[in-house]
Amino acid sequence: MLCCVVEQELYELLEAVNRAGSLKAVYESAMDFIRSALKCDKVAILLFDEAGVMRFVASRELSEKYRSGVEGHSPWRVGAEHAEPIWIPDTELEGLEAHIAESVKAERIRALGFIPLQVGGFVIGKFMVYFGAPHEFTARERRLTEGIAIQLALAIQRWQMAEELRRGKEQYRIMIEQVKDYAIFSTDTAGRPIVWNEGVQRILGFSETEFVGREVTPIIFTPEDFAAGIPQKEFDNAARTGSASNNRWMRRKDGTRFWAEGVTTALRDEGARLIGFSKVFKDSTASWQSAEDLKASQRELTALKDRLAADLSAMTRLQNLAALAVRPGVDFRSLLGEVLDAAIAITAADKGNVQMLDPVTGGLRIAAHRGFGPAFLEFFEHVCEQAASCGAAMRSRERILIEDITKSRVFQGTPSLQMLLNENVRAVQSTPLVDRTGKVLGMISTHFGRFHRPSENELRFLDILARQAADWLERSHADQAVRHAKEQLATANQELDRKVQERTSSLNATLQSLETLLYSIAHDLRAPNRAMQGYAHLLIESHANGLNDKAKFFLHRIAEAALKNEAMIRDLLEYGRLAHAELHCAPLDPALNIHAVLQGFELEIAEKGARVKVSGQWPKVSANDSALTHVLANLVSNALKYVPPGVRPQIEIFPASVNGSTHESNGWVRLCIRDNGIGVPAEQKESIFDLFQRASNASAQGTGMGLAIVRKAAERMGGQAGVDSTLGKGSTFWVALKKASS
């Protein structure tokens, strides 16, 4: 049952963080949930920064002085593995560091919990819960916080990955905008600009609002070229062949002409569907008459076109991979294949492989590959730190780039060199997949059949890809850990349910046996009790003349002891019945039970001259008729019994509202019996409700079980019992019960 409740609560948290529109909103939703679910007074979320310092990112009800005083403190260092929560039920009993203890005391914190946020088994931060009073953390709270930590860590990871991709896009946009010597813009399939750089304004004179989304071909092409349909022919040619020359006279915003040198390129998506065009050109009016200059410009434009096309392709692949990685149910092995294909395309390589760290051996194992034969795969099945470029990259945790493997010290004198030459590999790069704590998770290697060095732009995109892949690996490890934990939890719950059923069945059988034994013993004990009573009375009545006063006294004591023993057996049976029998509760008018009980005590009330006052207004309560009558009878009997010598009992029976108890609501009422008796010592107000306990100032009347029966009956009816008393001035015994709904 505990597991089901926790899972339902965690589902509510999952929905909340999934609805969050920002990382800040994730923090706010998580803190709302934590405070509601754990009923804590304060809460905070902290993450390691780039310097490895634990810093607050969000908090509730914590002062600035406290946050600055404890920031940086953490029970775990950055990169710690498999951390466990830390619970402090009472800060005044815990040996906290002096400055931490001082800050905690000033903030009025008496209990707190450190719950690690972990991704892939490594600590990235923590969340804290604080209580203003000592607090024992329950099994439900501990299990719930572990689930919260998993959900919160995964949500933080997703948003950090999204932010990194956004920064990559922004860098690409800035790079395009900084190319100011060229006018660069992209259009939709109809030729309307949708992306613009500052070169357009510098060369053509149009601002972004004047240019983007407008029909510009009639303006920037000369009237004669537009009339001849040159713009559409240029687009059609680019769509058919991939690119088209853009060397011609063109017009600026003010109508002046310039000689433009450039190229128009068709843009297609992953499915080869035409999605628009890009136009790149520069003002070559000053040098257009020079053939050599024209050729140089053309080469420069071609190189720029190729670079922009490669960058666009790389960005498209990274975006598609990011979308694929967050798709529910995606297979991680197939995702590794997509990562490898993207790495080969970005670096213009001929072959490649992705390797994963083997947690058992500490080496690398190939998880995806392209272009290699069985001999290569068998040779590099397991790679240690001393082998090949990937081993060197794993050792240094940095990329290894080898333009010519025959001249590299990494391969000199190793069997790896000949194996690569047999596979027609002449150059290689190996980029480690490093998590946020600096741990190597795997490797992306691409291989070239020529002596080659990837460009800095290609390597930059490869770094972004490696960062994404490392994050996905961490998430995969976290998902596997969660699945494993759920499986273990399900197995444990099944085993627990089985044991509970077995033990419940055994306990029920034992209770039934004990109850049978109890009734048997009671029956057997009652017979000799009655015999003692009967014979004692018979001797007194039949042989009174032959007995002296001392013998008569002893016979009276025997009869009284037998009578008291009979009462104790009766009370024990009643207590056992209350403990195990099913009590059906229904709406009752307590006044009827009170008057019935008082009728049974009429003779004793008259003998003692007692005054009894009963309230005329009673709300209905939910109770068991027999149990309530038994409770009232015990309390009235005590009120008549325990009064100082020579004092007439005065008893008041009345209902009272509930204040200062666990039932502080209008749905509860107390049935109170106030007396003018001897009172109860303050230190015994709880113990007198235990079996065989009497107040230290009371005589040895009764069996010592009456109040124990009162409390047990009240609890079985869903209520409570207690006493308010002043020693020597009387007591008010009460039973709190639910008000009846009808």
Side-chain angles (χ1 to χ4, degrees), residues 136-157:
E136 288 293 336
F137 293 88
T138 66
R140 170 195 165 273
E141 291 173 332
R142 295 178 184 229
R143 187 174 295 179
L144 184 59
T145 55
E146 291 174 4
I148 293 171
I150 292 172
Q151 297 289 0
L152 180 56
L154 290 176
I156 291 171
Q157 182 192 30

Side-chain angles (χ1 to χ4, degrees), residues 446-457:
T446 53
H447 305 73
F448 309 87
R450 61 199 182 282
F451 303 137
H452 177 69
R453 178 185 180 89
S455 69
E456 292 303 316
N457 218 34

Side-chain angles (χ1 to χ4, degrees), residues 476-600:
S476 175
H477 292 162
D479 290 343
Q480 289 175 0
V482 171
R483 285 195 298 271
H484 181 63
K486 285 184 176 179
E487 291 170 359
Q488 287 184 318
L489 184 59
T491 301
N493 283 336
Q494 290 175 357
E495 180 65 16
L496 180 60
D497 288 342
R498 184 185 65 78
K499 289 182 178 179
V500 168
Q501 290 174 1
E502 290 178 355
R503 292 177 183 177
T504 300
S505 176
S506 176
L507 181 59
N508 287 335
T510 302
L511 289 175
Q512 187 173 2
S513 298
L514 288 174
E515 190 169 350
T516 301
L517 178 62
L518 179 62
Y519 279 102
S520 176
I521 292 173
H523 181 271
D524 291 344
L525 287 175
R526 278 179 163 178
N529 271 333
R530 294 192 187 100
M532 282 190 292
Q533 286 179 271
Y535 285 126
H537 287 300
L538 184 61
L539 283 171
I540 293 172
E541 293 173 0
S542 302
H543 302 279
N545 295 331
L547 298 173
N548 58 28
D549 291 341
K550 190 172 186 180
K552 291 178 183 179
F553 172 77
F554 287 151
L555 286 173
H556 280 296
R557 291 298 299 270
I558 290 171
E560 289 173 358
L563 185 63
K564 187 172 183 179
N565 199 32
E566 173 72 16
M568 184 172 292
I569 293 171
R570 184 182 64 250
D571 285 349
L572 276 172
L573 287 173
E574 178 62 18
Y575 188 84
R577 186 186 69 81
L578 286 172
H580 305 297
E582 182 177 353
L583 293 185
H584 175 69
C585 292
L588 296 178
D589 182 354
L592 299 178
N593 299 75
I594 293 169
H595 289 300
V597 168
L598 292 177
Q599 284 180 359

Side-chain angles (χ1 to χ4, degrees), residues 64-256:
E64 176 63 30
K65 182 178 180 180
Y66 176 80
R67 293 198 302 269
S68 62
V70 303
E71 190 165 62
H73 174 267
S74 171
W76 312 287
R77 59 177 177 78
V78 64
E81 300 183 52
H82 307 297
E84 295 293 335
I86 297 173
W87 311 101
I88 300 180
D90 191 340
T91 56
E92 293 189 1
L93 302 180
E94 189 74 18
L96 299 175
E97 297 177 24
H99 74 285
I100 298 296
E102 182 180 345
S103 297
V104 166
K105 184 175 182 180
E107 195 72 7
R108 294 192 169 129
I109 295 169
R110 283 296 302 275
L112 50 85
F114 300 72
I115 301 90
L117 299 175
Q118 304 181 83
V119 174
F122 297 94
V123 178
I124 65 169
K126 65 180 177 181
F127 76 85
M128 302 285 300
V129 293
Y130 309 87
F131 295 84
H135 180 81
E136 288 293 336
F137 293 88
T138 66
R140 170 195 165 273
E141 291 173 332
R142 295 178 184 229
R143 187 174 295 179
L144 184 59
T145 55
E146 291 174 4
I148 293 171
I150 292 172
Q151 297 289 0
L152 180 56
L154 290 176
I156 291 171
Q157 182 192 30
R158 285 196 300 271
W159 278 100
Q160 288 177 340
M161 289 172 58
E163 177 62 19
E164 188 168 317
L165 184 59
R166 186 197 65 76
R167 287 198 300 267
K169 290 181 179 179
E170 182 65 14
Q171 291 174 353
Y172 180 71
R173 183 189 64 79
I174 293 172
M175 180 187 71
I176 292 298
E177 290 182 353
Q178 288 177 345
V179 184
K180 298 180 180 179
D181 291 336
Y182 289 85
I184 304 174
F185 62 91
S186 298
T187 74
D188 57 19
T189 54
R192 289 185 294 271
I194 56 177
V195 177
W196 166 96
N197 81 330
E198 292 186 7
V200 172
Q201 184 164 12
R202 193 184 67 80
I203 295 174
L204 294 176
F206 293 99
S207 67
E208 184 175 10
T209 56
E210 294 172 325
F211 198 73
V212 173
R214 304 282 299 279
E215 182 62 48
V216 298
T217 51
I219 305 172
I220 65 175
F221 282 83
T222 62
E224 55 270 28
D225 282 350
F226 184 76
I230 295 299
Q232 190 59 49
K233 290 178 181 179
E234 189 175 284
F235 288 139
D236 291 343
N237 189 24
R240 185 175 61 258
T241 64
S243 62
S245 173
N246 193 26
N247 298 338
R248 59 178 50 82
W249 289 102
M250 299 188 74
R251 293 197 303 169
R252 300 184 179 89
K253 176 182 176 181
D254 61 6
T256 58

Side-chain angles (χ1 to χ4, degrees), residues 450-468:
R450 61 199 182 282
F451 303 137
H452 177 69
R453 178 185 180 89
S455 69
E456 292 303 316
N457 218 34
E458 291 170 344
L459 295 177
R460 184 171 62 85
F461 282 116
L462 185 61
D463 285 337
I464 296 175
L465 176 63
R467 177 69 264 160
Q468 287 180 325

